[in-house]
Amino acid sequence: MPPARARLIRRVRYAVLTVLATLVLAPLFFYVRTHFSLLEASRARAAAATVPLRAQEYLDKCRLLDVKPGPPPDFHARKESDRFVPGTKPTLIKNATIWTGSANGLEVVHGDILIDGGIIKRIGHVRSGELHQYRDLAHVDAQGKWVSPGIVDLHSHLGVYNSPNLKGAFDVNSRKGPVLAWLRALDGLNTHDDAYQLSIAGGVTTALVLPGSANAIGGQGAVIKLRPPTDRSPTGMLLESPYETNSSVYDRHAYFRYRQMKHACGENPDRVYSGTRMDTIWAFRQAYEKARQIKQAQDDFCAKAVRGEWTGLGEYPEELQWEALVDVLRGRVKVQTHCYETVDLDDLVRITNEFKFSIAAFHHAHETYLVPDTLKSAYGHPPAIALFATNARYKRESYRGSEFAPKILAENGLQVVMKSDHPVLNSRHLVYEAQQAHYYGLPHNLALASVTTTPATVIGQDHRIGFVKEGKPANLILWDSHPLALGATPQQVWIDGIAQIDAPYLVSKPAFLQKPPTTPNFDKEAEAALKYEGLPPLVPKPAKARTVIFTNVTSVYLRDEQGVNEAFTARAGTRDVGVVVVRDGKLSCIGNADSACASSVAIGEEAEYINLEGGAVSPALVTTGSPLGLEEIRSEPSTMDGYVLDPLTETVPQIAGGEGAVIRAADGLQFGTRDALIAYRSGVTTAVTAPKSSGFLVGLSAAFSTAGRHKLEEGALLQETTALHVSIHPVGTPSVSTQIAALRNLLLGETKGELAHATERVKKGEIPLVVRVHSADIIASTIVLKSEVEAKLGNDIKVTLIGGREAHLLAKEIGEANIGVIVAPTRPFPHSWDEKRLLPGPPLSEKNAVAELLAHGVTVGVGVPEAWEARNTRFDIAWAALESNGTISKATALALASTNVEKLLGVETEGSQNDLVATLGGDLLSFSKVVAVISPRREVVDIL
């Protein structure tokens, strides 16, 4: 076949095959393409059908999981505080010594502070040219005095544990279960608590209000400013509301506001729920496992949701009850944990590592100083430690508490916070906790930081509070003396740039109080606290030599028939210091260094010399008002004498005397308690204690030595019976009028047995009748009753009031009735309704109760309500004198807690037989150290 023809045939075949292929494959291609398109559309429709309607809401919640807590980036660029009250005048504080809180608490600036819009605008020297823009500028001349940040209380129950305490407003604890993470303190916050203004007067500007410690997880705390809010609501008191829903105010997409959560372990939840520590820790683990599961479910959900994998996802996993605990695991909630003992601390640390969350602070934490390495092993970072200064031994788990804990913890690099647990301690005097911490060894910068910058940082609010810094809100205190000086009192307090005290009463303080106080060295005592795990030996040791010579003495105060007087003082500005010679525990002579007294020690005479380094010798102090000597651990019945039966409301067994029974404290005294021995080492060598009672008839008090070893020891029991005690308070049943009637019957009616003998001694004026009372109305009835009884008896009787919160209202009448008053405590607080009309003292009133009563000729003593407080008696009387504007001298102050107490309680003493105390580095009313007790009755000098 010719080549041309062959090519033609191939072309025709190719064309035919192409046509055939097209006819056959085209429909198939069309079918496949159509089917694929339909399949894709079907898939798209199916996918569209599984995207939830709330997908955008879920994605928004997923995005929020990545937002970190803390202030917005532009927080310090704002020109006006979000808490600013329109109409507030700008303020210029001039000539101040400013403790800023910066540079680890070491920065001090001398200059001015300009406040506007609730914010600190300038610190330093403010030139007059900068002030032209400010109209109606308020000027405050600080006159060189100290300005500090406002005090921050890390642990308070203000507004939920109300003052005065009334059943209708007690919202501190819920007992609905051991885990209640969903409860909020804000929901029970009472804006009418009497304590707000008192606490402000002490410089407290911010408080973390926590639920109580009945539960393992008790709920969420509320950080509040104490000034009255303009809207008068609890929400208006919040420093910054984490519950704010207005996104223009609080945009959660930009930053998260910290919340606070209360945890508790140990005795409290165990007691409330009749469980053990094992039960409480299981409750924690169970709750956190639930929160962990929810968190993991959220994380898994969001990982798929952001990829668009909606099939089978369902709804976003969340439970309202558990959302706060989930946020703990996300680092958005600051956990505040009430925890005392090593076992509990170790438990919680292990839980933090198991569930990977941090604890902001351990509170109370009496054994933390013993286990710093345990604390450092907590997840994330070591917790801060929030402490009392000297409040301990009220429970077994607080038994090993030490005044040296702040010092020891700080030396181990841990953050120290001093807190009030208000109203356990009155937060008005929170700075006093810092002062005591400093006294016992915490460096001054950390001591002041412990109530300002450190707690502000611990709660995640150091961008708002805790510092004096340009751009920060103006929460400030102008002090009348250095903040760490005993008795330091605010002259003015600013919250959000608003002055809080109208017409404050100012007190003139000595110039030396403007300097940081000099404190003793307690290194050996702190070492002993560690060596003996919080229970160092306290029994005093007598001097080895019969003759003890105290040198470098600047003052000596002695008792006389009128009370206390200064017997020697070194001449100011000279080296003419004194010498005190003691032989066999008795004062031999006093004189200058070149006097006959100084040379009275024979050559070769065995003697022990003690250099007081400018210290003093003073009368030892007497304490009363507490059950000192009747208890070792307040909440442990097996360690105490217990409570007496009250014949007014209970049946006293016939075997105990029936209607004629009257209980003697002397029969139940416990010698050698730690509170008594610590009081002795603090210069309080005598206690007058009445039986423990919650009713009307208390019993007969006794006087004993706080260093006594047992009742049979010579000089241990000083006086078996000193006074007959009763108590009159509004308790519902029996009525106050019934209690007054009972007292009238005791004094004028027929009584039986030993009670008849005791009341007969009262009627003859041999022993005092001591009435524990606060209400001015009840005091008035007592005055009338005393007059009635004396008229019928034809002779005077001795009556002493103890407590006396409202006694100042009747100071004139009390003086005229020749009734004495033991003010206990010296710094008042309205715990109950019959204490409401108190005299607060500067800056809220010109005088305190002690000064007011003294001004009307009343014999005044001082006491303490709780046994642990006896050690601080010398600071109580010093404080009362410091705020009296010079009306209470040192001699008068010493009498308040010595000769006056003995007179008012019927303690019979011989002046020459009373104890003296020697202090190192200052007198008994300063931050000196008690180094010896001179005891004539025991013929020894105890070296402490």
Side-chain angles (χ1 to χ4, degrees), residues 195-206:
Y196 289 125
Q197 192 58 38
L198 292 172
S199 295
I200 289 171
V204 180
T205 60
T206 307

Side-chain angles (χ1 to χ4, degrees), residues 74-83 119 121 464 471 473:
D74 61 347
F75 182 80
H76 294 296
R78 60 189 187 153
K79 303 299 183 183
E80 185 176 281
S81 169
D82 52 357
R83 293 181 53 83
I119 290 176
K121 298 292 187 179
R464 286 184 178 269

Side-chain angles (χ1 to χ4, degrees), residues 523-789:
D523 287 348
K524 290 183 179 179
E525 290 84 350
E527 290 171 7
L530 288 172
K531 178 181 178 181
Y532 294 96
E533 297 196 4
L535 302 176
L538 298 173
V539 175
K541 296 180 180 180
K544 295 178 181 179
R546 294 176 60 187
T547 300
V548 179
I549 303 165
F550 296 95
T551 63
N552 203 357
V553 180
T554 57
S555 65
V556 176
Y557 287 85
L558 298 176
R559 294 164 172 255
D560 60 22
E561 294 180 357
Q562 282 70 45
V564 175
N565 280 293
E566 191 172 37
F568 170 83
T569 183
R571 287 178 291 180
T574 71
R575 300 175 63 86
D576 191 16
V577 291
V579 172
V580 175
V581 178
V582 177
R583 290 186 173 88
D584 294 325
K586 297 180 175 63
L587 191 65
S588 177
C589 63
I590 306 168
N592 297 324
D594 57 357
S595 66
C597 180
S599 58
S600 66
V601 180
I603 297 174
E605 180 180 353
E606 184 182 359
E608 186 168 342
Y609 287 81
I610 299 176
N611 182 355
L612 294 186
E613 301 177 14
V617 173
S618 312
L621 304 181
V622 182
T623 184
T624 192
S626 80
L628 186 68
L630 294 177
E631 64 180 26
E632 178 73 357
I633 303 174
R634 191 174 70 211
S635 65
E636 293 288 346
S638 66
T639 72
M640 64 175 70
D641 176 50
Y643 287 84
V644 303
L645 295 172
D646 180 22
L648 188 57
T649 57
E650 300 165 290
T651 301
V652 179
Q654 199 60 41
I655 195 172
E659 293 180 6
V662 61
I663 306 304
R664 301 179 186 180
D667 293 335
L669 284 177
Q670 299 176 11
F671 289 86
T673 66
R674 296 194 71 80
D675 280 325
L677 289 170
I678 290 171
Y680 185 82
R681 301 176 78 90
S682 303
V684 181
T685 68
T686 301
V688 183
T689 298
K692 293 185 70 171
S693 171
S694 58
F696 164 72
L697 182 59
V698 177
L700 296 167
S701 53
F704 66 97
S705 167
T706 54
R709 301 189 184 203
H710 55 78
K711 187 187 295 186
L712 301 181
E713 181 185 51
E714 183 70 26
L717 182 60
L718 303 176
Q719 190 170 322
E720 187 172 14
T721 298
T722 62
L724 176 63
H725 294 246
V726 299
S727 178
I728 304 178
H729 293 290
V731 293
T733 302
S735 67
V736 168
S737 50
T738 300
Q739 295 171 62
I740 295 290
L743 181 57
R744 180 180 289 108
N745 185 62
L746 283 179
L747 297 175
L748 296 176
E750 294 293 328
T751 53
K752 302 178 181 178
E754 192 171 350
L755 181 58
H757 176 67
T759 54
E760 189 63 27
R761 293 189 66 192
V762 170
K763 288 188 279 187
K764 290 180 179 179
E766 295 176 358
I767 63 172
L769 172 68
V770 179
V771 183
R772 181 174 290 275
V773 61
H774 289 306
S775 164
D777 299 304
I778 300 174
I779 292 172
S781 293
T782 304
I783 293 172
V784 172
L785 180 59
K786 178 177 184 289
S787 177
E788 177 187 343
V789 169

Side-chain angles (χ1 to χ4, degrees), residues 34 72 145 162 218 330 358 390 410 465 484 506 562 584 588 603 617 619 638 779 793 807 810 885 900:
T34 303
K145 293 185 175 65
N162 287 278
R330 296 196 183 281
S358 295
T390 54
I465 56 176
L484 294 178
L506 307 183
Q562 282 70 45
D584 294 325
S588 177
I603 297 174
V617 173
S638 66
I779 292 172
L793 294 177
L810 295 168
N885 240 342
N900 288 11

